[in-house]
Every structure is written in C-alpha cells, then in structure tokens.
Amino acid sequence: MKKLFKSTIAVFTTFVTVLFLSCGGKDNSPSPVNCSNNAEKATAAATALASDPTNTAKCEAYKNAIRDLYKSCANYYTGQAKQDLDDFLATPCN
C-alpha cells in the first residue's frame, strides 16, 4: 500500500510540474489568440507611456510589449512594415 501511495504521489508531482512548466511564461508563438492578448498588453503599455513619456522604464515596457506583439503576429508584418518595426525596436529609449 505504501508503494502504491508513493507511486501515486510521484506521478502526481511529475504531472503538476510538467503542467506548471508548460503553462508558465509568455507565449509569443504566432496565433490569433496570442496576437490579440499581446495587442491588449501593447495598448496598456502605450497608455502608460503616454501618461509619462519621459519614463525610461515605461518606454522599455512599451518596446517589450511591441516586440511580443510583433512575434505573436509575425505573419501580419512583412516588407517595409517589418523593417519599420525593427528600426523602432532598435532605437534606444531616452
């Protein structure tokens, strides 16, 4: 009985660990859901930056949100638009 209990606990712990690790972090893979979620985050970051445009931390947060949006909506940005985004992301915050 103890062996069955220990095995059950080990399997459960492994399952929870795998589930936790697979759900954590940002998902920037191109998909409509990720694109939509990252668009909302970019909008919130833009609003925060607009309230204090000289704040370097808010500028970096906005650029990171745009980078995430760019990665999750990669198929929407091609040619000149992609080059413009790359140039924007390369520009340092004040």
Side-chain angles (χ1 to χ4, degrees):
M1 190 67 172
K2 277 187 171 183
K3 188 174 183 179
L4 178 64
F5 180 71
K6 286 182 181 181
S7 296
T8 304
I9 293 296
V11 169
F12 179 74
T13 303
T14 303
F15 175 75
V16 169
T17 302
V18 169
L19 183 64
F20 177 74
L21 291 176
S22 68
C23 294
K26 295 188 255 185
D27 189 2
N28 293 331
S29 59
S31 77
V33 172
N34 292 338
C35 184
S36 176
N37 290 340
N38 287 329
E40 290 175 12
K41 291 176 185 176
T43 301
T47 303
L49 180 61
S51 69
D52 187 7
T54 60
N55 187 319
T56 304
K58 289 182 181 181
C59 176
E60 291 297 331
Y62 176 67
K63 288 176 74 170
N64 288 335
I66 293 296
R67 184 175 290 114
D68 291 344
L69 177 64
Y70 173 65
K71 288 179 181 177
S72 65
C73 306
N75 55 337
Y76 298 116
Y77 300 105
T78 59
Q80 187 60 42
K82 183 177 179 182
Q83 183 60 44
D84 291 343
L85 280 170
D86 289 338
D87 291 345
F88 169 72
L89 294 173
T91 304
C93 291
N94 295 340

